[in-house]
Amino acid sequence: MTARKKLENELTKEMIIHEAHRHFIAHDYSKVSMREIAKELGCTHGAIYYHFKNKADLFYAVVEHYFNELNLILSECVFQEGNPTEKARNVLIEFIKFGLDHQSQYNYMFMKQDEEIDPLRQNASIESLHQFTKTIQKLYNEQLPNEEIFYIFVSMHGFVSHYAGRVENFEEAREAAERFTQYLIRALEKY
Amino acid sequence: MTARKKLENELTKEMIIHEAHRHFIAHDYSKVSMREIAKELGCTHGAIYYHFKNKADLFYAVVEHYFNELNLILSECVFQEGNPTEKARNVLIEFIKFGLDHQSQYNYMFMKQDEEIDPLRQNASIESLHQFTKTIQKLYNEQLPNEEIFYIFVSMHGFVSHYAGRVENFEEAREAAERFTQYLIRALEKY
DNA sequence: ACTCTTATTAACCAATGGTCAATAAGAGGT
DNA sequence: ACCTCTTATTGACCATTGGTTAATAAGAGT
């Protein structure tokens, strides 16, 4: 059976995700309504429910992209120039940069605890921690205790979640982030 | 003018806060409705709006108590037995304990970024950070750079917000918390 | 008795997430 | 051309929500 030809203005999941994304980066989950999104897509909100089972489902489809993006960023840090220390610090910086440049997403990826959303997101967020640990281990020839890396992760997470909402983007917290990552790496290497 | 005698079943702010508190510790802010609270108080939700200008206002009245409690806990740590290092670590432990034993509240006190709530809470949360800094400084004879203490605060905050939702209470994370605080103090004293 | 203030109700509003029967319209077979 | 199957979409509908407001009840002071 050949795939049915899309009508002129037929809705696709991608179109919906794209539009939803625009709204979720601008406003909190609870402030974004399915009707708003539908309006801008030129359809009724009922149509969205044909493609996504509910609001949380649509939201997760949006956030999933960000997990992929973050994992990519982290894994690419290894191939940049510099010694292990510099590279490791860069991993931290990039993580923080991601967190502060995509605050709403970060919020949902790592912070928000909401039954409505959580089951879907749990795995992806653990996966990201794994990715982070693996990356750092590689830089230090697997010599560090995983626990020590976990401490770094947790602390870095604290930095992001503290500055989120207080600054608009990473740039505004760059200096603080640089000092903080220096502090973290120092602690790591003094171990 | 003598204060008007309360009717038999007249509503008081305290009654409302008490009932609201019961709901907010059990469910997320967005899941708690003014009508639920009113129902259990035996009044209509309109009556609550006479005492509190809106839901966020009521919520903050609930959370305010927790800021006071936390500040009290932190300030009392100084008077316990032990050397400065032990005392300092105890401050961290107590902070984490508070965070993990009152997760929903902690969430709103330090994490949630919501225009609806934020303006009210901003000051109190900064105040808590001040309290923390002052306490630690006192223990180390004002010898530390404030920035270093801030790093500890941020990291500790990261620990709490990572474990929140993953454990039920402080007890379940006690061992991890003890190792983590050791790590933090070590980093602080090696400065 | 009258007035003032305080507290509460009940009806109302606009908005929300979600459901569903009805329907439009392409695809395939006859 | 006609019928049928499937897919996509509408629009009416529902319960629930935060919030507003006119009406009202009732104690206090004069």
Side-chain angles (χ1 to χ4, degrees), chain B residues 137-148:
Chain B
Q137 280 294 16
K138 206 175 289 178
L139 289 172
Y140 286 92
N141 299 317
E142 331 280 335
Q143 297 289 306
L144 298 169
N146 275 342
E147 195 167 32
E148 206 79 5

Side-chain angles (χ1 to χ4, degrees), chain A residues 85-146:
Chain A
T85 303
E86 280 160 3
K87 281 182 180 175
R89 199 164 144 239
N90 202 242
V91 173
L92 306 192
I93 288 280
E94 286 296 325
F95 186 96
I96 292 173
K97 181 170 160 54
F98 176 89
L100 294 180
D101 282 345
H102 308 81
Q103 296 185 17
S104 335
Q105 289 81 353
Y106 185 89
N107 196 25
Y108 285 100
M109 291 167 72
F110 295 106
M111 286 161 61
K112 191 146 191 170
Q113 9 177 4
D114 192 328
E115 302 153 11
E116 219 175 338
I117 297 169
D118 247 26
L120 295 160
R121 185 201 55 178
Q122 207 82 330
N123 287 335
S125 117
I126 290 174
E127 184 53 40
S128 272
L129 170 54
H130 262 90
Q131 179 73 47
F132 177 78
T133 309
K134 248 174 53 191
T135 307
I136 299 288
Q137 280 293 17
K138 205 175 290 177
L139 289 172
Y140 286 92
N141 299 318
E142 331 281 335
Q143 298 288 306
L144 299 169
N146 275 342

